[in-house]
Amino acid sequence: RLGREARASLAAFLLGASVAALPVALGSPAALLAAPGLRGRLALAIHVASVNAALLLLYPRPLYKIAVRACFLGFAFGCGLLLSAGRSAWRHFGWYMCSLSLFHYSEYLVTAINNPRSLSLDSFLLNHSFEYNLAALSSWVEFTLEKLLFPELKQITWLSTVGLLMVIFGDCLRKAAMLTAGSNFNHIVQNEKSDTHTLVTSGVYGWFRHPSYVGWFYWSIGTQVLLCNPICVVGYALASWRFFRERIEEEEITLIHFFGEEYLEYKRKVPSGLPFIRGVKVEL
C-alpha cells in the first residue's frame, strides 16, 4: 500500500508532467519548448502558477514540501517529453531530462514503498552533494557549448540511443536492488545494526554484491553518452569509479562488522560488479 507521502508525491509528479499535454490544449506542435513564442511561454507560466496554487490548496505544509519537489520533477519530465517529440538539436537533451527527473523521483517513490521509516525529503537525492550538483551543471555547460560549436556532435542518434539503453539498464538494476533489499536498503550507510537488518544475497544480489551502485555507475555514465558529452563521459567515469570504490570499502567494513563470516563467504563468491573494485581487503 502507498502511504500518504507516496500518494501525494505521485499525484504531484503526474500533475507536473501534465505540461506535456499543453501542445494539445494549444493546438501547437509537440516541439512547443524548442521555439515556444509568446503564446507558449505564457502557457508554461500559467501552468506552473496554477499547479503550484493547486498544491498549496491540496496539501498541508509537510506534504506540500514533498509535493512541490515531486511536481518539479514531473514538470521536468513533461518538458523532456516535449523536447523529445521535436526534431531540434535539443531532442536528445529531452531524453536526458526524462531520465534525470524519473531517476530522482523513483528514488523517493521506491523508498516510500520499500522502507518508509527512512523516508525524508533527502530521499529525492536532489541535494545529494555539492560534487553531484557540480557534475550535473558541468554536463549542461558542455552540452550547450558543444551544441553551439560542433552541432553535428549532438545529433549522433545511434550513440544517444546506446546512452539511453545504459540509462534504462542502470536505473532498472538500481531499483531492482532497492526492491530486493526491502527495508535493508538505506541511502545512508548504517553504522548500527537494527533488529530487522539481514544480509540479502538473493535476486540481483546474487549477481553483484552492490547492484544499486553498479546500476547508478552505468546510469551516470549513460547520461553523458546520451548527451554525446565526450569530456563528461570520461570525467563521470573516473569520478564515479573513485566515489564507489571508497563507498564500497566503507560499507563493507560495516557489513563485516554486522555479519562476520557470513558476509566474508558471500564476498568470496560474488563480485562487487564494478570494474577493478574488489572491496575492502581482509587480512586472514
Side-chain angles (χ1 to χ4, degrees):
R1 292 178 58 184
L2 294 180
R4 64 172 189 162
E5 292 88 354
R7 292 196 302 271
S9 73
L10 184 57
F13 181 85
L14 294 175
L15 194 60
S18 67
V19 69
L22 276 183
V24 177
L26 296 173
S28 302
L32 175 70
L33 297 182
L38 180 60
R39 188 183 181 200
R41 292 191 185 97
L42 183 60
L44 286 173
I46 293 173
H47 180 273
V48 170
S50 58
V51 164
N52 188 57
L55 296 179
L56 284 168
L57 290 172
L58 286 171
Y59 300 114
R61 185 164 180 78
L63 283 181
Y64 173 77
K65 291 181 179 180
I66 296 169
V68 74
R69 286 164 173 78
C71 184
F72 165 75
L73 292 171
F75 180 79
F77 181 82
C79 290
L81 288 178
L82 291 175
L83 286 176
S84 301
R87 294 291 176 183
S88 73
W90 290 95
R91 183 186 183 194
H92 297 153
F93 195 84
W95 295 4
Y96 167 81
M97 287 179 65
C98 290
S99 303
L100 186 66
S101 56
L102 193 58
F103 171 82
H104 283 282
Y105 174 66
S106 59
E107 287 288 310
Y108 183 88
L109 183 63
V110 173
T111 303
I113 295 170
N114 233 21
N115 191 9
R117 288 181 299 177
S118 70
L119 190 66
S120 71
L121 293 177
D122 290 338
S123 300
F124 284 108
L125 297 186
L126 290 172
N127 56 342
H128 179 267
S129 65
F130 171 77
E131 292 79 9
Y132 181 83
N133 294 334
L134 181 62
L137 180 61
S138 299
S139 72
W140 305 340
V141 170
E142 181 182 351
F143 180 89
T144 303
L145 290 177
E146 289 174 351
K147 178 180 173 295
L148 294 173
L149 298 173
F150 314 105
E152 66 282 354
L153 180 63
K154 301 306 177 185
Q155 299 181 43
I156 309 175
T157 299
W158 71 265
L159 185 59
S160 290
T161 302
V162 170
L164 182 61
L165 292 174
M166 290 176 65
V167 163
I168 293 171
F169 165 76
D171 203 6
C172 287
L173 178 60
R174 179 168 171 83
K175 297 313 183 291
M178 293 173 69
L179 290 169
T180 302
S183 61
N184 293 286
F185 185 91
N186 199 302
H187 284 115
I188 301 172
V189 176
Q190 302 297 291
N191 295 316
E192 294 184 10
K193 183 180 178 183
S194 68
D195 295 336
T196 59
H197 205 160
T198 59
L199 179 62
V200 181
T201 60
S202 59
V204 291
Y205 285 86
W207 306 347
F208 314 118
R209 294 199 309 275
H210 303 279
S212 66
Y213 295 159
V214 176
W216 198 347
F217 178 77
Y218 287 107
W219 174 86
S220 66
I221 298 173
T223 61
Q224 300 312 300
V225 175
L226 190 161
L227 292 175
C228 300
N229 279 354
I231 297 174
C232 279
V233 165
V234 176
Y236 270 50
L238 294 175
S240 297
W241 185 87
R242 181 177 179 181
F243 171 79
F244 287 122
R245 183 193 63 181
E246 295 174 355
R247 182 71 175 257
I248 284 173
E249 289 182 357
E250 176 189 356
E251 187 171 303
E252 289 196 341
I253 291 172
T254 301
L255 289 169
I256 292 171
H257 176 69
F258 284 177
F259 302 107
E261 185 60 36
E262 183 182 5
Y263 185 79
L264 291 174
E265 182 63 23
Y266 172 61
K267 177 176 163 60
R268 284 191 286 267
K269 291 180 178 179
V270 180
S272 71
L274 289 167
F276 310 109
I277 296 180
R278 301 184 65 180
V280 67
K281 295 179 180 180
V282 180
E283 297 293 337
L284 299 177

